[in-house]
């Protein structure tokens, strides 16, 4: 026929693959050809006019496609796909798919009848439909990738609102998924034909199969398409048939490797495809070839996209088909040497997946054990991988392996040791995961079979010792006959292979006489006992091994705990949270070391909450403490639960340091505000505190009032309601017998009147008490109590503070206390002196009496005087605070009065109010009032004619000046502290006695006195900066104090003063830098924190860097390694290139002036840390130290 198309698949593909627009369509319908130069004229009417007859003809017989006009018209429309409406393309696609399906049926029927007459014709039809199907799928994908905005705007505007087809919505959004599934089903149908009868040569068949596989790969390139499971499975089915039956393996291998390089989303689907191909189609060769190919690929360390896809592919394949991967693992393992860390991560995870699979096999053989051990060896090696991501992945793989039913005890022990080592990794991410792994190892430990899951070291050690005792008792005693024979017989150690058997004569001679029945029974009984003993010993030996392994594991956890405690101070929020979770886990398993970490966690309550991280840490800490201490088991009744929580709260105070108590106070007050503590629990705490009918532990009663005082920080009503109980217990006989209880009761009483900061949140406003109130009376009595106990000082301090907090006129009460205490001290002294004198007259010439049992009067009087001076100093400080509060109250009243006064109100005559009197006394302006207060502070308190404190100032100075005359150590300490407090009152007194205080700082042998003076100088620097600013060298000198507590106090004081801008830094920071290498870790950590905070100020480290370097380099007692570590730490804060360059220039200028090689090395090392990029400096450093040598 003249109009039959002459179709050559190779020629058509050549044009199509180069550019579809170049495919010739000379026989296309005339109306279409007219639109070739005028695309706008290609309307729906023109398209339908051409397309409908073709559809009808092909529907009758697929052979209709061989007409040139039909075939070229369809090709023309596909060339113009950008102009085609969606419904037209959909119609073309349905036409091609249905016709191809019909043609496949014809071919199948003819192949069954074994008629080969129309093979050529069927071959051409299949190729034509396959070619058009490939083109139409490509066109559909182009359409699917277009955004709706890019579609012709005219389409669908005039259509009816309800007119929707199954494939389009107003011709805007077209979901062709269902049609693609049909097309893929049709492809499978065609590929199941006996294509070898249709395509005589392999190349022809490959070309035809390529039409389908190319379309499938095109569909898979779409990330949206691949998410559709049904579509993905159809696509895989086409590829599986092509690979299994039509020799597409090599083509698939090439395409998959290319897809892994260019399309990241195909990594896991390709692994899924290979699993289906291997398991359902029994064709594992393709997966093996791909893995073999990938094992030989080399990736650049900077390339991330390629390795990332390959890594995801290998991981997924090892999850889905581990048996496939394990055959090629010897090749894949080579990628552990790859520069691409992502690939190393993948191999690590693959090893984990293979271990998981091998451990789940029902009949593991020796080969499996060998393979598992090999994979574990690899995982253990990777703990030291150069890349931190690989180390993290390794730890994460171990966490997955912890969930396996098979526990691998020996490997778990090694993993625990490696994880403990990784806690000190330089990478925060590795450390965090190491903590997580340790927690996972604990929660999934294999030692729960015999005694439950607890891991208390003491209990397990006790069990081990018990087993050792049992084993020793089962061993035959030294005096037993059998043992003696063995010990006395030297033949025991002879090799039996050297000995011949006994001769028959000897044997007959030695043969025993016939045994009686009793002897036989005794032998049988003895054999049974021996067998039972042997069995028991074997069992006990296994038990001993079990206990020993458990103890080794627990010891690793104990060793790791101090390092995890350090991680609680990390800047990384997730690391801190993991460390907290670790301590919660090990506490649940009763590991003793957990309590250290749980106490250490308390300080996290101070984490700055102005960021999400800070709030996250605080809230997590509260959740952890609630879980451990504040949530009772579900089986407890409400009353039992309250008892449980109250006991836990009290136990938190046992053995706590002052710092821990302060943090606990903040935690409990925060929880109280959040209403996490019930009224019933509070009542239980009061019951413990107030119990009188039975004896209870002093610590328990103290703990109860400590906790109640902490809760009162958030809600003063807690203590206000039980005021009588506190007077009866803490300030009554029990308090006098236990001064620590009295001290904490005074602290709780102070909470009745919240401070300014607390008052904002408090629901109760407690007014000041009159001086004759019972509470104040009891407090005064506690101050005046006569006691030699050192706890008295703490009681007096808190009682005086409570008086100043609660009393309306605390200065009156303080004056009375001072008068009575002074009278008590000096009257007692005069009486004692009189008695001593009279006793000397009466007993003159008599025999000497034996020494009294009581301590000498001098010591008792010194202690009494020390207590008096302590009261004087504390009252002086509290009086200053009281004056400041009076000033603030005056300003508050004045501000309220101004606010409430009408704008145009005129002054009215009348009786003066209380506020008017206050104005008249202090002046009508705030400045006048402030001046009066300053005058009282400076001139009246210590120098006024009517001031009580003025009588004590000369006394204190006298005692401090004559330390040889007043040589009692506690008296000198109290006098120094008192003088320091008085110096904070008046600048005149401070200036007068400052040289004396500094002398005490330099000469005193008591570290407590030196620490107190350091703190006092810090306070004076805030009060009278002009006086202390010139004497800061004396402060810095204490950084070299021989006592670490003084050194630590000095460092803390200087840290506060410098960071708060209270003192100017004059080159003394070098001494603080030296503290970075202090043997006391707390001092080193504090110094590190100081410089970290200082670096946030404006270029502070940069400005002081040269001075610090000079000081450190000149220090002869500082080792070179220590200096390098200090300089390296300081240089890490020089972040700006400009600053680094300027410092490098200044340091380089020193190279020529270096007097020793050590100095030159120090400068060169500092230069190596700065990113200066100066060639001249590099040349100078490279030349080495030769300037001094030349001069020598």
């Amino acid at each position: 026929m003249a109009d039959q198309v002459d179709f050559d698949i190779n020629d058509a593909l050549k044009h199509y693959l180069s550019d579809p627009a170049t495919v010739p369509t000379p026989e296309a319908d005339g109306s279409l050809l007219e639109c070739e130069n005028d695309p706008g004229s290609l309307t729906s009417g023109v398209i339908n006019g051409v397309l409908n007859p073709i559809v009808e003809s092909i529907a009758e017989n697929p052979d209709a496609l061989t007409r040139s006009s039909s075939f070229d018209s369809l090709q023309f429309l596909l060339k113009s796909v950008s102009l085609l409406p969606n419904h037209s393309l959909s119609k073309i696609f349905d036409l091609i798919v249905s016709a191809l399906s019909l043609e496949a049926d014809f071919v199948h029927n003819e192949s069954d009848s074994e008629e080969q007459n129309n093979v050529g014709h069927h071959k051409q039809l299949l190729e034509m439909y396959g070619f058009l199907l490939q083109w139409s799928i490509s066109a559909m994908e182009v359409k699917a990738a277009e955004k709706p905005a890019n579609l012709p705007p005219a389409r669908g505007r005039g259509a009816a609102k309800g007119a929707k087809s199954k494939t389009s919505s107003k011709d805007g959004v077209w979901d062709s998924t269902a049609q693609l599934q049909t097309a893929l089903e049709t492809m499978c149908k065609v590929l199941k034909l006996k294509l070898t009868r249709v395509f005589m040569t392999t190349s022809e068949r490959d070309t035809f199969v390529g039409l389908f596989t190319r379309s499938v790969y095109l569909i898979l390139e779409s990330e949206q398409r691949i998410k559709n499971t049904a579509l993905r499975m159809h696509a895989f089915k086409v590829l599986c048939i092509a690979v299994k039956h039509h020799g597409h393996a090599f083509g698939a291998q090439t395409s998959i490797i290319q897809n892994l390089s260019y399309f990241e989303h195909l990594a896991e689907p390709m692994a899924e495809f290979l699993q289906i191909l291997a398991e359902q189609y029994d064709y594992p060769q393709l997966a093996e070839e791909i893995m073999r190919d990938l094992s030989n690929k080399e990736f650049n360390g900077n390339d991330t996209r390629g390795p990332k896809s390959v890594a995801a592919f290998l991981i997924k394949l090892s999850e889905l088909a581990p048996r496939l991967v394990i055959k090629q693992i010897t090749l894949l393992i080579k990628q552990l040497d790859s520069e691409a860390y992502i690939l190393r991560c993948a191999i690590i995870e693959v090893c984990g997946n293979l271990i998981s699979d091998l451990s789940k096999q029902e009949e593991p053989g020796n080969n499996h054990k060998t393979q598992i051990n090999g994979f574990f060896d690899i995982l253990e090696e990777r703990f030291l991988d150069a890349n931190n991501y690989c180390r993290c992945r390794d730890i994460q793989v171990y966490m997955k392996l912890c969930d396996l039913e098979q526990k691998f005890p020996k490997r778990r022990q090694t993993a625990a040791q490696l994880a403990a080592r990784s806690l000190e990794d330089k990478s925060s991410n590795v450390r965090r995961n190491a903590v997580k792994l340790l927690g996972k190892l604990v929660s999934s430990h294999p030692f729960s079979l015999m005694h439950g899951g607890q891991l208390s070291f003491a209990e397990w050690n006790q069990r081990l010792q018990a087993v050792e005792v049992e084993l020793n008792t089962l061993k035959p005693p030294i005096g037993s006959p059998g043992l003696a024979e063995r010990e006395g017989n030297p033949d025991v150690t002879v090799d039996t292979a050297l000995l011949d058997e006994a001769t028959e004569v000897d044997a007959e001679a030695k043969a025993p006489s016939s045994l009686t029945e009793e002897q036989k029974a005794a032998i049988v009984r003895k054999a049974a006992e021996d067998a039972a003993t042997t069995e028991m010993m074997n069992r006990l030996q296994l038990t001993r091994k079990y206990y020993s392994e458990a103890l080794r594991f627990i010891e690793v956890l104990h060793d790791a705990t101090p390092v995890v405690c350090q991680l609680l101070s990390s800047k990384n929020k997730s690391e801190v949270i993991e460390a907290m979770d670790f301590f919660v886990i090990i506490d649940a398993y009763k590991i003793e070391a957990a309590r250290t970490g749980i106490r250490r966690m308390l300080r996290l309550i101070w984490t700055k909450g102005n960021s999400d991280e800070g709030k996250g840490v605080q809230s997590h800490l509260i959740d952890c403490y609630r879980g451990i201490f504040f949530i009772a088991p579900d089986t407890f009744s409400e009353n039992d639960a309250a008892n449980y929580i109250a006991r836990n709260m009290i136990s938190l105070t046992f053995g706590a340091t002052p710092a821990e108590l302060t943090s606990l106070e903040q935690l409990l007050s925060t929880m109280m505000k959040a209403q996490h503590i019930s009224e019933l629990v509070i009542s239980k705490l009061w019951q413990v505190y107030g119990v009188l009918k039975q004896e209870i532990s002093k610590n328990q009663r103290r703990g109860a009032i400590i906790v109640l005082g902490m809760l009162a920080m958030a809600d003063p009503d807690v203590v206000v309601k039980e005021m009588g109980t506190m007077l009866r217990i803490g300030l009554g006989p029990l308090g006098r017998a236990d001064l620590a209880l009295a001290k904490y009761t005074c602290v709780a009483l102070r909470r009745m009147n919240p401070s300014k900061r607390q008052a904002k949140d408090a629901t109760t406003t407690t007014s000041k008490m009159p001086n004759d109130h019972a509470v104040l009376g009891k407090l005064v009595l506690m101050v005046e109590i006569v006691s030699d106990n050192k706890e008295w000082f703490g009681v007096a301090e808190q009682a005086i503070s409570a008086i100043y907090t609660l009393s309306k006129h605390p200065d009156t009460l303080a004056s009375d206390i001072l008068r009575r205490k002074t009278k008590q001290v000096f009257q007692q002294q005069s009486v004692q002196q009189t008695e001593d004198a009279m006793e000397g007259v009466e007993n003159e010439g008599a025999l000497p009496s034996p020494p009294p049992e009581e301590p000498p009067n001098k010591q008792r009087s010194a202690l009494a005087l020390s207590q008096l001076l302590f009261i004087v100093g504390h009252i002086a400080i509290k009086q200053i605070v009281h004056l400041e509060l009076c000033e603030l109250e005056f300003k508050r009243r004045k501000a309220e009065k101004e606010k409430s006064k009408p704008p145009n109100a005129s002054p009215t005559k009348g009786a003066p109010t209380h506020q008017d009197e206050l104005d008249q006394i202090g002046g009508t302006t705030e400045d006048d009032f402030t001046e009066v207060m300053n005058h009282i502070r400076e001139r009246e308190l210590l120098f006024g004619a009517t001031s009580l404190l003025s009588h004590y100032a000369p006394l204190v100075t006298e005692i401090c000046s004559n330390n040889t005359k007043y040589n009692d150590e506690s008296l000198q300490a109290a006098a120094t502290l008192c003088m320091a407090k008085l110096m904070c009152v008046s600048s005149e007194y401070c200036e007068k006695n400052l040289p004396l205080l500094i002398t005490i700082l330099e000469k005193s042998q008591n570290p407590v006195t030196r620490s107190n003076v350091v703190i006092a100088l810090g306070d004076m620097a805030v009060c009278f900066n002009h006086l202390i600013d010139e004497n800061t060298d004396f402060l810095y000198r204490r950084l070299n104090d021989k006592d670490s507590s003084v050194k630590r106090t000095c460092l803390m004081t200087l840290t506060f003063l410098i960071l708060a801008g209270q003192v100017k830094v004059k080159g003394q920071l070098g001494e603080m830098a030296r503290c970075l290498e202090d043997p006391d870790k707390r001092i080193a950590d504090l110094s590190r924190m100081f410089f970290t905070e200082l670096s946030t100020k404006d270029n502070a480290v940069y400005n002081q860097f040269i001075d610090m370097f000079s000081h450190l380099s000149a220090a002869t007692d500082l080792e070179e390694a220590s200096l390098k570590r200090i300089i390296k730490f300081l240089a890490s804060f020089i972040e700006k290139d400009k600053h680094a360059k300027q410092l490098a220039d200044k340091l380089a200028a020193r190279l020529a002036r270096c007097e020793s090689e050590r100095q030159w090395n120090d400068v060169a090392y500092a230069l190596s840390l700065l990113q200066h990029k100066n060639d001249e400096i590099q040349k100078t450093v490279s030349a080495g130290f030769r300037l001094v040598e030349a001069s020598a």
Side-chain angles (χ1 to χ4, degrees), residues 662-700:
T662 306
S663 299
L664 181 62
E665 180 178 74
Q666 181 70 11
L667 174 71
L668 292 181
S669 62
T670 305
M671 293 181 71
M672 187 70 182
K673 287 174 188 172
Q675 298 180 341
H676 291 322
I677 299 169
S678 67
E679 288 290 333
L680 186 56
V681 171
I682 295 171
S683 70
K684 295 291 182 184
L685 290 169
W686 280 117
Q687 287 174 24
V688 172
Y689 175 70
V691 66
L692 289 172
K693 292 181 181 178
Q694 64 185 77
E695 290 291 327
I696 65 166
S697 161
K698 284 185 177 182
N699 285 336
Q700 195 175 16

Side-chain angles (χ1 to χ4, degrees), residues 177-474:
T177 305
Q179 290 170 286
L180 279 175
Q181 286 184 28
T182 307
L184 292 169
E185 287 172 1
T186 305
M187 289 183 192
C188 293
K189 186 177 181 180
V190 172
L191 290 175
K192 287 178 182 177
L193 297 173
K194 298 176 181 176
L195 294 181
T196 50
R197 296 187 179 183
V198 179
F199 300 94
M200 299 305 172
T201 65
T202 305
S203 62
E204 288 179 342
R205 186 193 61 181
D206 289 347
T207 303
F208 175 71
V209 171
L211 296 174
F212 292 166
T213 57
R214 202 176 292 115
S215 300
V216 172
Y217 293 129
L218 182 65
I219 292 170
L220 293 177
E221 286 175 11
S222 167
E223 195 168 351
Q224 291 302 318
R225 299 283 192 208
I226 205 77
K227 288 178 182 176
N228 187 303
T229 305
L231 191 63
R232 187 171 71 248
M233 289 299 116
H234 279 87
F236 289 166
K237 188 175 181 182
V238 173
L239 293 178
C240 286
I241 297 171
V243 170
K244 176 72 175 175
H245 300 293
H246 301 296
H248 181 59
F250 183 74
Q253 179 182 342
T254 307
S255 298
I256 288 171
I257 290 174
Q258 285 180 347
N259 285 341
L260 291 178
S261 301
Y262 297 112
F263 303 102
E264 288 184 20
H265 71 275
L266 282 181
E268 294 189 356
M270 288 298 100
E272 190 180 0
F273 160 64
L274 292 177
Q275 180 224 0
I276 293 169
L277 180 63
E279 293 182 0
Q280 298 181 17
Y281 291 85
D282 192 26
Y283 197 91
Q285 296 92 321
L286 178 59
E288 292 171 0
E289 286 297 326
I290 288 174
M291 284 189 282
R292 207 171 286 130
D293 200 353
L294 291 176
S295 68
N296 294 320
K297 283 181 76 75
E298 291 186 6
F299 293 96
N300 189 344
N302 298 324
D303 178 17
T304 55
R305 189 172 179 180
K308 187 176 179 182
S309 294
V310 172
F313 167 77
L314 291 173
I315 292 168
K316 189 68 176 178
L317 189 59
S318 68
E319 290 173 1
L320 297 173
R323 310 290 170 84
L324 276 178
V325 177
I326 204 166
K327 293 177 184 177
Q328 304 300 323
I329 193 64
T330 51
L331 295 174
L332 291 174
I333 222 82
K334 292 189 295 186
Q335 291 294 357
L336 283 175
D337 299 325
S338 170
E339 290 182 12
Y341 74 88
I342 298 178
L343 268 181
R344 300 204 300 276
C345 288
I347 300 301
I348 289 168
E349 193 154 349
V350 166
C351 289
N353 291 337
L354 297 181
I355 290 172
S356 178
D357 177 68
L358 288 170
S359 69
K360 292 173 184 174
Q361 293 186 13
E362 294 180 359
E363 297 179 1
N366 290 331
N367 186 37
H368 286 171
K369 290 181 180 177
T370 306
Q371 287 176 323
I372 287 173
N373 286 331
F375 294 139
F376 267 119
D377 289 341
I378 291 170
L379 292 179
E380 288 169 8
E381 285 173 12
R382 289 297 118 184
F383 266 96
L384 294 176
D385 195 285
N387 188 277
N388 62 310
Y389 288 106
C390 294
R391 300 196 295 275
C392 281
R393 183 64 60 87
D394 195 35
I395 293 171
Q396 289 162 1
V397 167
Y398 265 103
M399 280 190 266
K400 289 181 184 176
L401 295 177
C402 287
D403 293 327
L404 295 176
E405 289 184 14
Q406 194 171 342
K407 295 298 184 182
F408 305 106
K410 291 181 180 177
R411 295 294 182 173
R412 289 174 75 93
Q413 179 69 25
T414 308
Q417 292 167 348
L418 293 172
R421 185 181 68 188
S422 296
L423 291 174
E424 300 182 70
D425 196 282
K426 64 181 180 181
S427 166
S428 166
N429 211 14
V430 176
R431 296 194 300 268
R432 178 174 63 84
N433 280 283
V435 175
K436 212 169 182 178
L437 174 57
L438 282 174
K440 190 73 174 175
L441 287 167
V442 172
S443 59
S444 62
H445 73 83
F447 305 111
S448 57
L449 299 175
M450 293 178 67
H451 306 287
Q454 306 304 334
L455 292 173
S456 168
F457 182 87
E459 290 178 10
W460 283 91
N461 196 35
Q462 191 177 356
R463 289 167 192 156
L464 179 62
Q465 290 173 359
V467 169
E468 295 279 6
V469 170
E470 284 189 59
L471 274 170
N472 291 333
T473 55
L474 285 177

Side-chain angles (χ1 to χ4, degrees), residues 501-679:
E501 293 183 2
T503 59
E504 291 181 6
V505 177
D506 292 338
E508 288 174 6
K510 292 180 180 179
S513 59
S514 59
L515 300 173
T516 63
E517 291 297 324
E518 290 179 0
Q519 289 174 325
K520 288 179 181 178
I523 290 172
V524 170
R525 194 164 53 250
K526 181 76 167 62
E529 289 174 1
D530 290 347
T533 303
T534 305
E535 183 183 348
M536 177 66 75
M537 285 193 69
N538 290 337
R539 188 172 64 80
L540 286 174
Q541 284 170 349
L542 287 173
T543 306
R544 179 174 63 180
K545 183 182 178 184
Y546 179 77
Y547 289 164
S548 299
E549 288 178 356
L551 280 169
R552 279 201 300 274
F553 177 63
I554 297 169
E555 282 171 355
V556 171
L557 296 173
H558 277 264
D559 293 341
T561 301
V563 188
V564 183
C565 281
Q566 293 177 16
L567 299 185
L568 289 171
S569 305
S570 172
K571 291 182 180 178
N572 188 301
K573 170 195 168 186
S574 56
E575 199 173 346
V576 173
I577 287 175
E578 287 298 342
M580 284 194 273
D581 288 341
F582 170 76
F583 285 117
V584 171
I585 291 170
I586 66 172
D587 180 72
Y589 286 86
K590 300 291 184 280
I591 296 172
E592 292 89 342
R595 289 290 157 171
T596 307
I598 288 170
R599 281 195 180 276
R600 188 76 177 269
M601 281 160 56
L602 269 175
R603 65 181 62 181
L604 296 173
I605 195 66
W606 303 105
T607 307
K608 293 177 182 176
N610 53 359
S611 64
D612 291 338
E613 286 197 3
K615 291 173 183 173
V617 170
Q618 280 186 351
S619 61
H620 196 78
L621 172 68
I622 291 172
D623 291 342
C624 290
Y625 262 76
R626 282 191 69 201
I628 297 171
F629 299 107
F630 296 91
I631 296 179
D634 296 335
T635 54
F636 280 24
S637 65
E638 187 179 2
N639 187 64
D640 291 342
N643 287 335
Y644 172 84
I645 294 169
R647 290 182 73 91
N648 281 343
M649 291 172 78
I650 292 170
S651 71
L652 286 171
T653 65
F654 295 163
T657 63
E660 288 168 351
L661 286 177
T662 306
S663 299
L664 181 62
E665 180 178 74
Q666 181 70 11
L667 174 71
L668 292 181
S669 62
T670 305
M671 293 181 71
M672 187 70 182
K673 287 174 188 172
Q675 298 180 341
H676 291 322
I677 299 169
S678 67
E679 288 290 333

